[in-house]
Structures are given as C-alpha cells and as structure tokens.
Amino acid sequence: MLSRHSCLYFVLSLTQAVAFAVHTTGVLSSSLSQSTSLRPFTSSIVSPSSSQLQLRPWGLRTPTHRNRPGPLMTSLSGGGGDCTAVFVYVSCKPGTEDAFKAASFENAKNSVQEEGIARFDCVQNLDDPTKFVLVEVYKNADAPAKHKETPHYAVWRDTVADMMAEPRQAVKYSNLFPATSAGWDVPAALAKGGPDGSKADLLAVHVFVHVKEGTEAAFVEASLNNAMNSVKEAGIARFDVLQNQAEPRKFMLLEVYRNPDAPAEHKKTAHYNTWRESVQDMMAEDRSALKYSNCFPAADENWQMANL
C-alpha cells in the first residue's frame, strides 16, 4: 500500500507532466503552422475536402474542417470556379430519340437566353442513341431554381415525361477551366435568341478521372496546363476541366473535337504527353470515357471558347 504522502506526490508529478505535454504540443503546433508551405504556382488551388488543408495567399496552408466539401478553385482567367455545371443523364425509350432531341433543342435554345445560364448543351451517346446528357452551366446559385420556373422548361418537362425509360440523374461539377463564366458563355448572338447556324459533326468526349487522395492539387495543376494548350489546337473546340462537387477526388475532362482525326492528333502533342506522364501515378483507377455527338449547339462557332 502507498502512503498518503506518496499518493499526493504521484498526483502532483502527473499533473506537471500533463501540463508540460500540453505546452510542448502548443509550441510544436505553432511552429508547424508558421513553417508549413506549398510550392506556389500560377493558380492558387484550394482542396479543402481532400487534403483537409486550404491554400492561403502565398501558398500558406491552414487546417480546415476535415469533412468540409468543396472544389479546388483556381485564379485562372480572372477568377475561380464561379459556375456550377449540372450533367443531367437521360435514358429515353427506344423510338423516342428524335422527339426528345426536338423538345430539348427548343428548351436549350430558350435556356441560353436566361441571364443565369452560360451554356445548355445537349449531346447524344454514340454507342447508345437512347442516352443523352444535358450539360447545364449556371452562373449563380439561384439560376437552377429560376430556370425551372420558366415556361420553356415546363413545356419540355411535360413533353418528355412519357419518353423517359428511367428517372433522370444529375451530377454537379465545379468549373476549373475555364475558371469564370466568360469562358463558358455561348456567343452573344445565340444568347439573344439568334439562329444556331449550320450543323457541324462534333465529337464530345467526357473523360472520367478518379485520383488518389492527396494528389488533387497536383492533378489540377497538370490538367490546367494541358487544357490551356489544348484549346489552341485547330481540331479542338473546347477542353473543359471540372471537379465533382460531391466527390472532389473525381474530375471530368470535357473535350470537344472538330473532326475524327483530332483526338489522335491531340495525343501526339507535347503538352498531352507531359500531362499523361505527370498524372499516371495519381490515378486511383483507370480513366474511362464516353463519346457523344452534338445536338445543341449545332454550329461549331457556338462551342468555341471565344471569351478566354
């Protein structure tokens, strides 16, 4: 049995040890927060949901809430991630494809005239013509609800209701490139109700990417460099980079080619090969892709990134 004096001495010693540990932890934490930094590059990137760290000005990092969702944001082209791109996946009953395209064309033509909408693309799956994607790019948080209050949306919804083979599904993305709505806006003439123009046979490729935890910022840096060079290629109309809002380790590259040879030509470029080699060890799984033809806009000029 320990004496009363021995017990008191043990308690006092234990209290002093705990106090010293708390003091040491505080000093260490302060030291780390002052010295931790990331190598800066041309775009300030934030990855709060994946790395639990938020980049601050000059590349300093401070802890953020562990489960806080949010996209990587970039300062490219005068801002970062000011749009929400909603990909609506549609599966039609066989035989209703043409009627769906006609209804969706009218809805899209009117939708791009809405103040809060930058784009409203409609594409059709090349391997399964009963499947479509509506790519709705909204400029602010209120725009989706306002869109659903419009007469043209109501007409479209009622017209296509019986054409659905299954309920529509939607996935939300944040825009990384182009970084502002100016890079997504359809040409002014189309936004004012002008004609779409002559039909061009474009190829839209949706590339799905899932990266390893902790590689999000590096993947974005590499992909922005690739995208900025890719849009300069003659055979490419668009080359968008987006990040899944619900699962920030998932990205989409939305590549729109002007002719069947353009994808192969793209893969011969130095910037593509640099990107491929840079990201190969970041992949959590193999990349996958779906190919689509354009329904709306029909004209090549209405797909171009004219405002970058």
Side-chain angles (χ1 to χ4, degrees), residues 32-33 36-38 51 53-56 59-63:
L32 284 173
S33 65
T36 303
S37 63
L38 289 177
S51 63
L53 293 169
Q54 184 176 24
L55 286 182
R56 310 293 281 185
L60 295 179
R61 301 192 296 181
T62 56

Side-chain angles (χ1 to χ4, degrees), residues 10 17 25 98 133 151 202 291:
F10 174 78
T25 301
D98 289 342
V133 182
L202 303 179
K291 295 179 180 180

Side-chain angles (χ1 to χ4, degrees), residues 71 83-89 136 138 141 144 169-175 242-248 250:
C83 296
T84 292
V86 182
F87 284 66
V88 180
Y89 292 89
E136 309 171 6
Y138 295 100
Q169 303 292 326
V171 180
K172 295 181 180 180
Y173 290 85
S174 294
N175 58 306
L242 304 111
Q243 183 181 22
N244 190 304
Q245 291 186 357
E247 301 180 78
K250 293 185 177 180

Side-chain angles (χ1 to χ4, degrees), residues 202-262:
L202 303 179
L203 171 65
V205 183
H206 295 185
V207 181
F208 300 92
V209 182
H210 185 191
V211 302
K212 297 174 183 175
E213 185 173 4
T215 66
E216 298 91 336
F219 176 80
V220 170
E221 181 179 7
S223 297
L224 293 182
N225 289 332
N226 182 46
M228 285 187 286
N229 285 286
S230 296
V231 294
K232 299 174 185 177
E233 296 176 42
I236 291 180
R238 296 194 66 83
F239 205 100
D240 306 327
V241 182
L242 304 111
Q243 183 181 22
N244 190 304
Q245 291 186 357
E247 301 180 78
R249 287 166 52 201
K250 293 185 177 180
F251 297 84
M252 181 190 289
L253 307 179
L254 200 168
E255 309 169 6
V256 181
Y257 296 96
R258 291 192 167 104
N259 59 70
D261 297 328

